[in-house]
Amino acid sequence: MSDLAEPRIIAWAGADERAEETARTELADRLAAAAPDGPDAPDRPDTPDGPGRIDGIADDAARRLADIPPAHRAVRGALVASSVREAAELLRTDRALRRDTRRQPPRPVGLLFPGHGSQHPRMGAGLYGHDAAFSAAMDDFFTAVGPTGPMLREAWLAEDPERRIDEGELGQPLLYAVGHALARMLAGWGLRPAAVLGHSVGELVAATVAGVLRPRDGARLMAARSHTYAPVVPGGLVTVAASARELAPFAVGDVSVAVVNGPRQTALGAPAAALAALEHDLRLAGFVARRTRIRQPFHTPHAVPAAELFEPAFAAVALRPPELPVYSSATAAPVRPHEALRPRFWARQMSDPVLFGPALDRLLADHRLLLVEAGPGQALTALALRHPAVTAGRSAAVGLLPARPGGDGSRNGRADREAALRAAARIWVEGHQLDRTAPN
């Protein structure tokens, strides 16, 4: 596959299994004819499948699909490929997405927004300039955030970033911006989430998408938040494959539980002076422990000074009751209208433990959802995929961006576009009507 080949969605549908099979067979025949060794093979074998070949088939499939009334698209199929050869292989090995929405009705979309620790250079940058809604949201953020906007834009788009994106002053505003821009991209596709849940700084993205904050106010809050980190001592978090109860003997003195991501996925936070001893003690006790990419002990009492500095910033913005259910990782419950109007509720997110696992439990107890992670990496998707509600098939999960930075297509952004297309294909096959199915 050429590095220059752009991924495309090829979708088909039918009113029943027979109609879907007919559409799929016709598509397979067209792919076979256009394949490098097929009767319509291009004259230039040095290109993946000939110039425009995958684009032509994708466009033809889209035209055929548009001729099928929405009521007759009950059985759906889709694939994402960058060449005719790849598309044909997906069909030959039956690895294309397929779903009968008569037997499996569409589940509403729930959005997950990751937090500090998931950031990486150029996260989501491959969508910039390709999806209009995503690009506009990023531009709006860099304008609204104020004087630091040009620096943040430069750091985000830098080919070889020199700045330390793991530091809160840089990584957290960009996480907010990218998460909100991805939500705007989904809105541009015609999707309205049924519920939202954020992890750490992702809670402010969730609050924005739910209508508690206006986007420009969210940007201003992120600028104000960046000036609150100084009183927080250096340190970090250590993730441990254990429950919070098992780790209670270690959560003493300067050490406390900072994050609960699942039944046996917990993070302890501590100042730098205590981290090495904490890791040593955990490993001596037989626990698997790993330090995160967070340089300060957020979500512990050590971050209370930052939360107190952050709280007055909310007085300058309008807080409104949520327009859709927003689940809190601080309370592990839906945010109530009176809570949404309290600056302290949102400011203390910096120092309160993150109870993402319990919040996800509540979300999936209340709703059957197709969870879409709107942010870099797929750490929250991985957590959701192990949840009993997902393993039992009641809910499902997909990420909008690649699971890991780097790899083929990362420098030119194609990996971001391919991941977004795969998510779009998954959402469409679920049974949702997308106004548009790709960043272009």
Side-chain angles (χ1 to χ4, degrees), residues 62-88:
R63 286 191 294 270
R64 291 171 183 246
L65 188 60
D67 291 337
I68 302 175
H72 294 168
R73 300 175 190 171
V75 186
R76 298 176 173 217
L79 59 84
V80 175
S82 298
S83 69
V84 169
R85 187 194 304 273
E86 182 186 8

Side-chain angles (χ1 to χ4, degrees), residues 241-321:
S243 68
R245 178 175 295 182
E246 290 176 285
L247 296 176
F250 301 91
V252 294
D254 281 342
V255 180
S256 58
V257 172
V259 180
V260 178
N261 278 335
R264 293 186 56 80
Q265 298 174 73
T266 308
L268 299 176
L275 275 178
L278 173 62
E279 290 178 294
H280 176 268
D281 292 345
L282 286 167
R283 289 170 180 152
L284 194 65
F287 291 106
V288 176
R290 181 178 61 85
R291 198 175 298 196
T292 69
R293 295 166 49 203
I294 298 173
R295 306 297 180 85
Q296 292 171 292
F298 292 110
H299 307 298
T300 73
H302 300 287
V304 168
E308 291 175 343
L309 285 176
F310 190 30
E311 186 174 338
F314 285 88
V317 302
L319 296 174
R320 296 169 292 184

Side-chain angles (χ1 to χ4, degrees), residues 79-405:
L79 59 84
V80 175
S82 298
S83 69
V84 169
R85 187 194 304 273
E86 182 186 8
E89 181 68 17
L90 288 171
L91 280 178
R92 277 198 301 267
T93 57
D94 201 27
R95 288 188 290 129
L97 295 169
R98 291 163 63 195
R99 198 166 192 268
D100 187 339
T101 62
R102 300 169 304 171
R103 297 187 175 91
Q104 301 170 303
R107 290 163 290 198
V109 168
L111 298 185
L112 303 178
F113 299 100
H116 199 175
S118 61
Q119 71 282 346
H120 63 78
R122 292 188 60 80
M123 50 187 173
L127 298 173
Y128 191 63
H130 290 263
D131 184 273
F134 178 92
S135 303
M138 292 301 297
D139 288 340
D140 290 346
F141 172 83
F142 292 128
T143 298
V145 78
T148 60
M151 178 273 291
L152 288 168
R153 180 196 294 272
E154 180 183 359
W156 177 54
L157 295 176
E159 289 291 344
D160 297 303
E162 297 179 358
R163 298 181 183 273
R164 303 183 70 87
I165 200 168
D166 291 345
E167 294 176 357
E169 293 88 341
L170 183 62
Q172 292 193 17
L174 288 176
L175 278 170
Y176 174 91
V178 170
H180 179 250
L182 289 171
R184 285 268 296 272
M185 180 177 77
L186 290 173
W189 296 353
L191 287 172
R192 175 176 170 80
V196 292
L197 168 61
H199 189 292
S200 185
V201 71
E203 288 210 76
L204 294 182
V205 188
T208 304
V209 173
V212 176
L213 293 167
R214 292 176 297 185
R216 65 176 179 270
D217 289 336
R220 291 167 184 164
L221 284 170
M222 292 310 303
R225 182 184 173 108
S226 297
H227 297 296
T228 67
Y229 302 137
V232 184
V233 298
L237 307 183
V238 176
T239 60
V240 192
S243 68
R245 178 175 295 182
E246 290 176 285
L247 296 176
F250 301 91
V252 294
D254 281 342
V255 180
S256 58
V257 172
V259 180
V260 178
N261 278 335
R264 293 186 56 80
Q265 298 174 73
T266 308
L268 299 176
L275 275 178
L278 173 62
E279 290 178 294
H280 176 268
D281 292 345
L282 286 167
R283 289 170 180 152
L284 194 65
F287 291 106
V288 176
R290 181 178 61 85
R291 198 175 298 196
T292 69
R293 295 166 49 203
I294 298 173
R295 306 297 180 85
Q296 292 171 292
F298 292 110
H299 307 298
T300 73
H302 300 287
V304 168
E308 291 175 343
L309 285 176
F310 190 30
E311 186 174 338
F314 285 88
V317 302
L319 296 174
R320 296 169 292 184
E323 298 170 1
L324 56 88
V326 52
Y327 285 70
S328 169
S329 285
T331 64
V335 176
R336 294 171 290 182
H338 74 274
E339 290 175 323
L341 302 179
R342 290 173 50 211
R344 182 179 176 85
F345 180 85
W346 301 108
R348 290 301 291 258
Q349 176 270 337
M350 298 180 72
S351 55
D352 287 344
V354 176
L355 305 179
F356 180 83
L360 183 63
D361 290 342
R362 176 66 185 273
L363 173 66
L364 295 183
D366 291 348
H367 306 273
R368 294 189 175 207
L369 297 169
L370 173 60
L371 296 170
V372 178
E373 182 172 1
Q378 296 183 11
L380 302 188
T381 303
L383 292 173
L385 289 173
R386 293 194 289 270
H387 194 279
V390 175
T391 58
R394 295 189 297 274
S395 291
V398 65
L400 269 176
L401 290 177
R404 291 174 297 277

